[in-house]
Amino acid sequence: MKARVNVMLKNGVLDPQGAAVRHALGAMGFEGVNDVRQGKVIELDVADGTTEESIKQMCEKLLANTVIESYTIELA
Amino acid sequence: MKARVNVMLKNGVLDPQGAAVRHALGAMGFEGVNDVRQGKVIELDVADGTTEESIKQMCEKLLANTVIESYTIELA
């Protein structure tokens, strides 16, 4: 089965990558871009029957730095 | 309005970041992880009325390297 983990910087944490993208879009003539935040998406192909709890453990221990990042898990 | 762009390496393109995560999960005792692919998620806060076509242009010109990466756009 597939699981998708989205990892984003928490609100209030400076996101220089996102800021760079926003500036670049403006410089390229794209208007109306107010804010950009960039994060990671991690697609896991795990054995059938893997629990969401187990994937949560992976996030807590490795995939996300929970001090500055939040994550969401989607099972498919 | 918000738009979310997911950028993933195309199938067949080597993903060393994903491979590193898979090995790390295995070393940490998580079993049954067959494959990991890592990509980017870019959350855009754009002016109301921005068209999907316009966001597609941003992807083609800046956000994704379409030679090796594919992208999906979700408007919310």
Side-chain angles (χ1 to χ4, degrees):
Chain A
M1 60 182 255
K2 300 272 186 182
R4 167 180 291 205
V5 176
N6 273 300
V7 180
M8 299 295 296
L9 285 168
K10 287 180 179 170
N11 286 332
V13 178
L14 193 68
D15 179 3
Q17 250 186 321
V21 170
R22 186 168 63 81
H23 283 292
L25 287 172
M28 292 169 73
F30 291 105
E31 287 174 13
V33 180
N34 302 319
D35 192 28
V36 179
R37 306 280 290 173
Q38 184 166 335
K40 291 181 290 189
V41 53
I42 300 156
E43 286 185 357
L44 301 157
D45 180 3
V46 291
D48 289 348
T50 303
T51 60
E52 184 163 350
E53 181 57 32
S54 165
I55 292 171
K56 199 173 161 189
Q57 286 297 319
M58 297 180 196
C59 292
E60 295 280 339
K61 291 188 180 165
L62 180 72
L63 303 180
N65 174 354
T66 54
V67 177
I68 55 168
E69 292 172 329
S70 60
Y71 61 86
T72 56
I73 298 169
E74 295 164 39
L75 297 177
Chain B
M1 61 183 255
K2 299 272 186 183
R4 168 179 290 206
V5 175
N6 274 299
V7 180
M8 299 295 295
L9 285 169
K10 287 180 179 171
N11 285 332
V13 179
L14 193 68
D15 180 2
Q17 249 186 322
V21 170
R22 186 169 62 81
H23 283 291
L25 287 172
M28 291 169 73
F30 292 105
E31 286 174 13
V33 180
N34 302 318
D35 192 28
V36 179
R37 306 281 289 173
Q38 183 166 337
K40 291 181 289 188
V41 54
I42 300 156
E43 286 185 357
L44 301 157
D45 180 3
V46 291
D48 289 347
T50 303
T51 60
E52 184 163 349
E53 180 57 32
S54 166
I55 292 170
K56 201 175 159 188
Q57 286 297 317
M58 296 179 196
C59 292
E60 294 280 339
K61 290 185 180 166
L62 180 72
L63 303 180
N65 175 355
T66 54
V67 177
I68 55 169
E69 293 171 330
S70 61
Y71 61 87
T72 56
I73 297 169
E74 294 164 40
L75 297 178

